[in-house]
Amino acid sequence: MTSPILLAIEDLTVSFDGFKAVDGLNLYVERNEVRVVIGPNGAGKTTLLDLICGKTKASAGSIKFKDTELTKLVEHDIVKAGVGRKFQTPSIYENLSVRENLELSYPKGRNVFGSLFFKVTDKVRARVLEVAKDIFLSDRLDTSAGLLSHGQKQWLEIGMLLIQDPELLMLDEPVAGMSVSEREATAELLGRISKNRSVIVIEHDMDFVKDIAHRVTVLHQGKLLAEGKMDEVQQNEKVIEVYLGH
Ligand code: ADP
């Protein structure tokens, strides 16, 4: 039977000049789960995602994604293993159309040589249409990405990850700067995405957290402060203390 756990993080620690930004962390993310990571500034949220995607190397501990130990892999191989990460600032090609951005993100088309020899087959075209529909951009396929609204750019970047079919998607503040309707659409999108993959989201907007989170992990000073459903976490005295103290 397939394990319900997709990502198992154990005793994860990273030190920067002796300062532990992530300190002995244990975290388990299930398949089809939306896990939101919250915590005050400097809690270690971004560093945690950096460790998972290989941008930062762990000092100690393990990050097991299915049967693969990610701490032994470089960033590129972590992507290939099925982990996609979206940063806060969109990294789309502004001069290219939505369609071209999606085509270029199709697996193998990401690097320069890959793109030169990359052929847009019917299969690729069909997948682009499917993803464009998922991210509400079916009628913007021929629009230059630079002309999209801020929210649409964020969706396009999510689409550029989805087209690579990751089993784990990590998003850093996906609704920052979005309008109310774009937020609602993003919540619905994340619900849909998590039907067949897991999502880890760093988020500060508590209303949005309530809308999307299956479970919430609260970090404080690099350590796990609390974990559970949003209403449980909200009533946790340690969590209240940390948030009121800021
Ligand atoms: P959060 O995302 O929760 O705001 P971060 O993960 O960005 O927190 O940072 C956690 C702590 O680690 C902060 O005190 C930050 O200054 C420190 N830190 C993060 N990356 C580095 C680095 N490359 N070198 C030194 N200190 C770092």
Side-chain angles (χ1 to χ4, degrees):
M1 211 183 88
T2 323
S3 161
I5 305 292
L6 183 71
L7 185 77
I9 293 178
E10 287 178 346
D11 293 328
L12 187 65
T13 299
V14 65
S15 304
F16 299 114
D17 295 328
F19 169 77
K20 289 180 178 170
V22 170
D23 187 1
L25 188 67
N26 294 316
L27 187 99
Y28 302 89
V29 177
E30 292 190 1
R31 289 172 193 272
N32 307 336
E33 179 183 353
V34 177
R35 173 69 60 93
V36 181
V37 180
I38 64 169
N41 277 341
K45 304 180 295 293
T46 311
T47 307
L48 171 64
L49 297 203
D50 288 347
L51 286 161
I52 299 170
C53 77
K55 188 168 171 238
T56 297
K57 285 285 148 215
S59 312
S62 132
I63 306 173
K64 207 90 180 272
F65 175 69
K66 297 188 290 182
D67 289 329
T68 309
E69 179 55 53
L70 298 187
T71 53
K72 293 189 168 49
L73 300 184
V74 294
E75 271 184 278
H76 181 70
D77 289 328
I78 293 175
V79 172
K80 273 200 194 156
V83 178
R85 161 101 183 261
K86 179 192 171 310
F87 292 87
Q88 232 175 321
T89 333
S91 59
I92 55 176
Y93 304 101
E94 301 248 336
N95 296 326
L96 299 182
S97 68
V98 166
R99 186 194 307 278
E100 288 163 333
N101 269 282
L102 290 172
E103 285 172 356
L104 279 176
S105 306
Y106 193 85
K108 294 198 195 84
R110 207 77 167 130
N111 68 54
V112 176
F113 293 109
S115 324
L116 278 178
F117 298 110
F118 178 65
K119 279 186 84 168
V120 181
T121 58
D122 285 348
K123 191 174 156 206
V124 177
R125 274 187 215 103
R127 182 79 183 117
V128 165
L129 294 185
E130 206 173 80
V131 170
K133 186 161 176 256
D134 281 343
I135 56 169
F136 321 107
L137 293 178
S138 291
D139 59 350
R140 293 282 184 280
L141 275 166
D142 295 311
T143 304
S144 284
L147 298 177
L148 298 175
S149 74
H150 169 75
Q152 289 171 326
K153 285 181 185 174
Q154 303 283 337
W155 293 336
L156 175 56
E157 209 188 356
I158 293 176
M160 289 163 74
L161 292 171
L162 284 180
I163 207 160
Q164 298 174 46
D165 231 357
E167 282 180 79
L168 174 66
L169 199 64
M170 300 194 286
L171 309 173
D172 197 339
E173 294 191 52
V175 293
M178 280 192 182
S179 68
V180 173
S181 62
E182 286 173 338
R183 270 162 196 253
E184 283 170 7
T186 306
E188 187 273 325
L189 170 64
L190 294 185
R192 237 183 312 124
I193 287 176
S194 69
K195 292 260 189 300
N196 55 358
R197 53 194 107 226
S198 305
V199 189
I200 302 178
V201 184
I202 296 180
E203 189 52 65
H204 291 290
D205 181 324
M206 291 305 152
D207 288 330
F208 187 66
V209 176
K210 265 183 219 156
D211 281 351
I212 62 165
H214 296 148
R215 278 192 294 167
V216 178
T217 292
V218 191
L219 296 186
H220 180 48
Q221 297 177 342
K223 293 193 165 91
L224 184 76
L225 186 72
E227 196 165 76
K229 299 217 183 300
M230 181 63 175
D231 48 357
E232 295 163 4
V233 159
Q234 262 181 320
Q235 288 163 21
N236 182 302
E237 279 179 22
K238 286 188 282 181
V239 175
I240 294 169
E241 205 179 298
V242 161
Y243 273 92
L244 290 181
H246 279 74

